[in-house]
Amino acid sequence: MWKKIRILILLLILFIVAVNAYRDQNQDWTKPVRVLLHPVNADGQDSTQLYIQQLSNSSFQTVQQYLQQAAAQYRQQPVYFYLQLGRELKQLPPQVPEQASLLDSIIWSLKFRFYAWRQHQSVDGAPHVTLYLNYYDPAHQKALKHSTALEKGRIGSVNLFAAERQNQQNHVVLAHELLHAFGARDKYDLATGLPIYPLGYANPQQQPRYPQQKAELMGGHIPLSSSTSKMPDSLQYTVINDLTAAEIGWLR
Ligand SMILES: [Zn+2]
């Protein structure tokens, strides 16, 4: 059984690599990749403002190193990521519609691209990806709305917690959204939030299958049983599997 699944995954990966080669709109991974991060005080709290004020480029070094290591493994040559903290923005990106129809999604993506165009200033240069980091104080906001990134336009709206103790999980969300901007797809069931077997598993071959130790980054969660999963505490508990690597053009 596993052999058949593996062959199917392999075929899927080959197909994606072929389509990518044909479309040829992948990131050029031989050049340094610049990612610009604009913090936004999304809930207007003073505590959120204090959190934003202490951010610097080094706040995102863990994500940078994680991506460089993962990319180097696939490409067998160094890939350089530069995650840079940009200007704080005063205006929130347009809210991602919930239970959106296709039309809602199209309108939202146009609004979002218009927002990105309006917010851009020449000091920002020409980053490969721009992410808007919307920070919320967890004391006021218990759960965050969905983050989203667009491959076309290479922009993302990322909802994060403004708290030191949430930094590691913020990194997981940020890396996940960043890979969306490069063309990676979600590998979890949108209805249940559970990673899809086997595509969204870090180690689909493991026996017994549960509990898994790590999450596939685009699968989002660590599967604990066939019906339960948990958010990884940090990027250490995530891997990028071959399928995701193929989608973003790390395999060729
Ligand atoms: Zn996603």
Side-chain angles (χ1 to χ4, degrees):
M1 180 61 186
W2 174 247
K3 210 170 175 183
K4 273 188 191 158
I5 291 175
R6 219 168 55 187
I7 290 168
L8 268 172
I9 296 176
L10 218 61
L11 284 173
L12 187 59
I13 289 169
L14 281 174
F15 174 74
I16 289 166
V17 170
V19 169
N20 275 346
Y22 173 72
R23 282 157 75 216
D24 197 31
Q25 58 176 28
N26 277 320
Q27 179 67 34
D28 179 356
W29 296 110
T30 64
K31 299 206 173 102
V33 182
R34 195 172 152 243
V35 179
L36 186 62
L37 309 166
H38 285 298
V40 185
N41 183 344
D43 59 7
Q45 299 289 333
D46 293 342
S47 48
T48 303
Q49 200 58 41
L50 283 174
Y51 179 87
I52 289 175
Q53 274 159 17
Q54 57 81 44
L55 289 173
S56 68
N57 284 348
S58 65
S59 311
F60 305 98
Q61 219 162 39
T62 309
V63 184
Q64 188 170 301
Q65 281 165 0
Y66 171 85
L67 293 169
Q68 285 180 177
Q69 271 172 18
Q73 271 178 15
Y74 279 106
R75 298 192 46 86
Q76 268 109 47
Q77 55 184 327
V79 175
Y80 296 102
F81 282 87
Y82 293 98
L83 273 68
Q84 294 175 336
L85 184 69
R87 296 171 294 117
E88 184 191 345
L89 300 182
K90 292 299 171 196
Q91 201 188 338
L92 264 173
Q95 277 294 306
V96 181
E98 286 180 48
Q99 284 150 6
S101 67
L102 182 61
L103 187 64
D104 293 336
S105 298
I106 292 171
I107 292 173
W108 172 79
S109 86
L110 290 174
K111 275 192 196 160
F112 186 30
R113 291 172 78 173
F114 182 63
Y115 166 89
W117 177 77
R118 285 263 311 260
Q119 296 295 331
H120 182 79
Q121 289 182 7
S122 52
V123 291
D124 303 332
H128 296 100
V129 177
T130 303
L131 298 180
Y132 306 91
L133 310 183
N134 315 314
Y135 284 103
Y136 296 85
D137 182 345
H140 297 272
Q141 185 108 4
K142 296 289 170 225
L144 294 176
K145 293 219 169 91
H146 240 76
S147 299
T148 318
L150 300 175
E151 185 184 6
K152 288 214 172 104
R154 295 272 168 97
I155 50 176
S157 176
V158 187
N159 296 326
L160 301 172
F161 280 126
E164 199 71 27
R165 65 176 188 281
Q166 294 286 340
N167 284 352
Q168 301 291 320
Q169 281 199 340
N170 282 348
H171 292 159
V172 176
V173 177
L174 205 151
H176 175 106
E177 295 306 323
L178 187 51
L179 292 201
H180 272 315
F182 292 120
R185 291 174 186 275
D186 279 324
K187 294 172 184 65
Y188 62 88
D189 183 330
L190 291 175
T192 63
L194 290 170
I196 295 167
Y197 182 83
L199 304 180
Y201 278 52
N203 189 6
Q205 279 190 81
Q206 181 185 292
Q207 287 295 343
R209 194 182 292 169
Y210 304 108
Q212 293 269 317
Q213 306 305 313
K214 293 186 175 184
E216 202 287 321
L217 188 59
M218 303 313 291
H221 276 202
I222 304 172
L224 300 176
S225 72
S226 61
S227 60
T228 56
S229 65
K230 70 163 188 175
M231 170 91 188
D233 290 329
S234 73
L235 283 170
Q236 269 187 305
Y237 297 99
T238 72
V239 297
I240 293 171
N241 71 13
D242 291 357
L243 181 57
T244 299
E247 287 166 344
I248 59 182
W250 284 356
L251 288 181
R252 54 188 62 217

